[in-house]
Amino acid sequence: MSKFEIYKDGGGEFRFRLKAGNGQNILASEGYKAKSGCTNGIESVRANSQDDYRYERLESSNGSPYFNLKATNGQVIGTSEMYSSFSAMENGIASVKSNAPGATVEDLT
């Protein structure tokens, strides 16, 4: 079963990651100073994950495809891993679309 994990990073900020049912990370957040900001970020992922226009498809400097999921205000709410191909990246987007709405939340803090 897919889940959002809330955790604290080395700098003390709250972050979340969306994990597929197989345990693979499919989306990671930026850092939040407050846990409430982190939980709001999760709700924003749920709300925006179904809209294909919210996915910004990108290519890193070394040519690896990846994507950002953006909120309605244009702010990045999640970033994918680097993929080996554009088709693999599209599969990652499809995974966020299918997993985010029903994912449980596990607080590891």
Side-chain angles (χ1 to χ4, degrees):
M1 181 145 175
S2 59
K3 64 182 175 180
F4 287 97
E5 289 182 341
I6 297 173
Y7 65 98
K8 269 191 167 181
D9 66 16
E13 291 190 316
F14 293 92
R15 294 178 181 265
F16 66 82
R17 57 187 159 234
L18 175 60
K19 293 185 129 184
N22 64 4
Q24 182 178 4
N25 291 335
I26 51 179
L27 194 70
S29 75
E30 308 219 339
Y32 296 90
K33 299 225 180 287
K35 189 186 286 189
S36 61
C38 189
T39 57
N40 288 342
I42 290 171
E43 292 311 311
S44 186
V45 169
R46 291 187 203 273
N48 291 286
S49 64
Q50 301 308 298
D51 187 346
D52 196 62
Y53 293 108
R54 300 278 180 247
Y55 292 90
E56 180 182 35
R57 291 153 171 91
L58 300 163
E59 192 173 337
S60 70
S61 58
N62 71 358
S64 298
Y66 70 103
F67 64 87
N68 286 329
L69 176 60
K70 292 186 167 188
T72 52
N73 65 4
Q75 186 173 9
V76 174
I77 49 178
T79 301
S80 74
E81 64 181 2
M82 298 293 163
Y83 292 96
S84 58
S85 67
F86 285 98
S87 63
M89 177 190 66
E90 291 299 330
N91 288 340
I93 290 171
S95 184
V96 172
K97 288 179 178 180
S98 66
N99 285 290
T104 60
V105 177
E106 183 177 346
D107 189 342
L108 303 177
T109 63

